[in-house]
Amino acid sequence: MDIFHNIINVVSFSLNVTGALITIWGIIIALCEFVKKELLRKEDCIKCNEAIRVKLGSYLVLALEFFISGDIIKTIITPTWQGLGILGAIVVIRTILSYFLTNDLKKI
């Protein structure tokens, strides 16, 4: 049983690290594009900013999915009512964030 718990912990941790790396990568890409836009002083700043925002938003939505997956898998180990309640709250918050980010990205 300890091996199962260790495997679940590693998988959950890996999913959370992957989500964090995706977030960081998206921020780096958006920041590089923003700096490039500012240095080149492009004429159509609003379109460029929207494109950067959409790209960053897509990375954030993907990262949120990894975070939710990690939390769900982590709950397999500790299926207490308190753990399930915390997981439910986290999933609801992250799902709402994901929903609004996705809707915001579809508008553009």
Side-chain angles (χ1 to χ4, degrees), residues 1-107:
M1 194 61 139
D2 280 341
I3 294 172
F4 177 71
H5 285 265
N6 289 337
I7 290 170
I8 295 298
N9 278 328
V10 168
V11 169
S12 174
F13 180 74
S14 299
L15 288 169
N16 285 321
V17 168
T18 302
L21 291 174
I22 290 169
T23 301
I24 292 167
W25 184 250
I27 291 169
I28 290 170
I29 289 173
L31 186 61
C32 288
E33 288 184 11
F34 176 77
V35 169
K36 187 170 83 173
K37 175 194 69 98
E38 289 297 316
L39 290 176
L40 295 176
R41 298 196 185 270
K42 291 190 175 181
E43 291 294 320
D44 199 5
C45 290
I46 295 173
K47 270 191 179 177
C48 291
N49 285 343
E50 286 297 312
I52 293 169
R53 193 173 68 80
V54 167
K55 188 176 283 191
L56 177 59
S58 67
Y59 279 101
L60 293 177
V61 168
L62 179 61
L64 280 171
E65 297 299 326
F66 277 92
F67 289 134
I68 291 171
S69 300
D71 289 338
I72 290 170
I73 289 175
K74 182 75 171 182
T75 304
I76 292 172
I77 294 176
T78 56
T80 63
W81 286 111
Q82 183 180 7
L84 290 173
I86 292 170
L87 173 68
I90 290 170
V91 168
V92 166
I93 291 167
R94 290 183 177 169
T95 302
I96 289 170
L97 284 172
S98 180
Y99 173 78
F100 284 111
L101 279 170
T102 302
N103 277 349
D104 200 29
L105 295 176
K106 285 180 183 177
K107 289 179 185 176

